[in-house]
Amino acid sequence: MTTWTERFPAREFQRDLLDWFARERRDLPWRKDRDPYKVWVSEVMLQQTRVETVIPYFEKFIEQFPTLEALAGADEDEVLKAWEGLGYYSRVRNLHAAVKEVKEHYGGKVPDRPDEFAKLKGVGPYTVGAVLSLAYGVPEPAVDGNVMRVLSRLFLLTDDIAKASTRKRFEQIVREIMAYEHPGAFNEALIELGALVCTPRRPSCLLCPVQAHCRAFAEGVPEELPVKTKKTAVKQVPLAVAVLADEEGRILIRKRGHTGLLANLWEFPGCEMNGEGEKEKLEKVFLNEHGLKIKLGEPLASFDHVFSHLIWKLTVFSGQLLDGERLGEPYRLVSARELDAYAFPVSHQRIWREYQERAGEARRLR
């Protein structure tokens, strides 16, 4: 045992934690079935996304792709559309690639060995621990932000949780205090404790089932932990975007590239701005770079869309596509009704709503 855990009453801690979890665990759809595929989908969805947001997405996704084979055989555009609105789209692209590999190399059965499961695309240490412990009872640690917060307070650790080395230390601690008879319940209970009781701000220490074991509570400093270095300043990118209709009322959309931010999603075309007049530059870009003649109206909306590492400062125009004869990939003209079949990032879903609202206002004023 490490110096952190050598005098720690692990058995008493396990009993207190698991008894509380048995009483207070939330009734969540992915807890009804320990099918490894469904557990895997839920864990991928829950990365960087709140439980309340995930529930309807999970239920819809499993209804559409009820088995690993169904997801493996699905078209990527169909999968991205099912994920639309959850964000961090690399998660579902990696999941889609990984289930194809499971189908091809493991006969459709999610591997139960950590070394094999960890080789799959997008599967990191947390996913290995969460899926294998919950689905197969494999005693692997599942250390996420909730668990790091709980352990920082429990053992009064001031290690910077933004560092990879700190996660390694916490994984070792979990191995030393884990209830090996019930590894899945133990991992899930630690995560649940962080989500419901040992929260980032104003933790409910007086209601905590493991308060007696917590050094941060004893020292009166739970809200000072965990320690995490601040992020660098977020880059701001000004963008001009156009919703363009041809003479038949079809809308111009384009598919983003195969790599990078929001890869393979559809969007309304636009470009970065650098101080020039937005309308003039956008018309010039369409003509010079894409051979498309357009005519823009006045801006119909301006808003910011925040990512974890940058901010898009969007100005949105409506306009007309005057010449679409040379239109080719990655562009496409679709009707407003057909637009619903394409997966768009959240920012462009908002653009379409703004456009429709303006169009509705214009019709009412006629």
Side-chain angles (χ1 to χ4, degrees):
M1 283 193 173
T2 66
T3 55
W4 299 313
T5 60
E6 59 187 7
R7 291 186 298 277
F8 185 72
R11 276 297 182 189
E12 290 84 350
F13 173 78
Q14 294 164 12
R15 180 199 63 219
D16 294 343
L17 179 66
L18 292 174
D19 285 352
W20 168 82
F21 185 57
R23 295 191 309 270
E24 304 294 336
R25 67 196 298 268
R26 288 171 289 181
D27 183 20
L28 301 173
W30 46 87
R31 288 178 174 167
K32 293 179 170 63
D33 187 341
R34 290 310 189 190
D35 174 357
Y37 163 67
K38 294 176 183 174
V39 173
W40 189 4
V41 170
S42 72
E43 290 300 336
V44 173
M45 286 188 169
L46 286 164
Q47 292 168 20
Q48 300 170 293
T49 308
R50 293 174 62 84
V51 167
E52 295 78 10
T53 302
V54 166
I55 290 172
Y57 278 95
F58 175 81
E59 292 174 333
K60 179 184 173 186
F61 197 89
I62 293 301
E63 183 179 350
Q64 188 171 350
F65 310 112
T67 64
L68 184 145
E69 289 78 6
L71 180 58
D75 179 75
E76 184 183 59
D77 284 340
E78 184 184 7
V79 175
L80 288 172
K81 182 64 181 177
W83 198 269
E84 185 182 53
L86 264 180
Y88 300 97
Y89 289 89
S90 60
R91 294 180 298 173
V92 73
R93 284 192 291 270
N94 289 340
L95 175 63
H96 195 203
V99 297
K100 290 179 180 179
E101 194 173 342
V102 169
K103 182 180 178 182
E104 182 177 350
H105 297 293
Y106 298 98
K109 180 181 181 295
V110 177
D112 59 4
R113 286 177 44 183
D115 58 337
E116 291 181 342
F117 190 46
K119 291 177 183 176
L120 298 174
K121 192 171 180 65
V123 175
Y126 169 77
T127 306
V128 169
V131 175
L132 298 195
S133 67
L134 292 171
Y136 294 123
V138 177
E140 282 289 310
V143 175
D144 69 351
N146 285 311
V147 172
M148 288 194 284
R149 183 169 60 257
V150 169
L151 296 180
S152 291
R153 292 168 176 171
L154 196 64
F155 293 99
L156 200 64
L157 296 177
T158 57
D159 304 64
D160 181 359
I161 65 169
K163 295 181 178 179
S165 58
T166 301
R167 180 182 292 272
K168 291 287 186 184
R169 288 199 183 103
F170 286 155
E171 288 173 354
Q172 182 57 35
I173 290 174
V174 172
R175 291 185 189 280
E176 293 176 5
I177 67 172
M178 176 181 281
Y180 276 76
E181 306 88 345
H182 309 287
F186 181 84
N187 280 337
E188 209 166 21
L190 268 184
I191 294 168
E192 192 91 331
L193 186 70
L196 300 182
V197 177
C198 196
T199 50
R201 297 177 185 83
R202 298 179 184 174
S204 303
C205 295
L206 297 181
L207 301 177
C208 181
V210 295
Q211 178 206 102
H213 311 291
C214 182
R215 289 186 58 193
F217 176 77
E219 296 290 335
V221 293
E223 292 194 54
E224 296 178 22
L225 295 167
V227 172
K228 185 177 182 180
T229 51
K230 293 182 179 179
K231 293 181 179 179
T232 56
V234 176
K235 181 182 178 184
Q236 299 191 14
V237 180
L239 297 173
V241 178
V243 182
L244 301 166
D246 70 359
E247 59 185 12
E248 297 177 28
R250 295 177 299 175
I251 305 297
L252 182 67
I253 61 175
R254 72 179 174 196
K255 195 170 192 178
R256 293 178 66 86
H258 297 304
T259 59
L261 182 65
L262 305 174
N264 287 341
L265 294 180
W266 292 85
E267 66 180 0
F268 301 105
C271 66
E272 287 190 29
M273 305 307 299
N274 56 7
E276 295 181 52
E278 292 168 325
K279 185 193 297 189
E280 293 75 13
K281 179 175 181 183
L282 202 50
E283 289 178 340
K284 190 186 303 181
V285 165
F286 270 88
L287 183 60
N288 295 343
E289 296 184 14
H290 309 293
L292 300 172
K293 293 180 181 178
I294 67 171
K295 181 180 180 181
L296 297 177
E298 294 305 309
L300 62 87
S302 294
F303 62 91
D304 292 350
H305 184 75
V306 180
F307 296 93
S308 59
H309 61 297
L310 63 85
I311 298 173
W312 278 354
K313 302 187 77 65
L314 292 142
T315 302
V316 184
F317 295 87
S318 62
Q320 297 173 288
L321 177 64
L322 302 178
D323 178 13
E325 291 184 6
R326 286 183 283 178
L327 192 65
E329 295 296 335
Y331 291 95
R332 191 170 294 180
L333 281 166
V334 298
S335 69
R337 184 172 296 176
E338 290 171 332
L339 208 66
D340 290 338
Y342 293 83
F344 286 82
V346 169
S347 55
H348 286 251
Q349 292 175 46
R350 179 174 175 181
I351 288 170
W352 181 238
R353 288 197 301 272
E354 298 272 5
Y355 177 82
Q356 288 179 305
E357 286 174 10
R358 288 297 184 93
E361 289 175 8
R363 284 193 294 269
R364 285 194 297 273
L365 292 173
R366 286 174 189 160

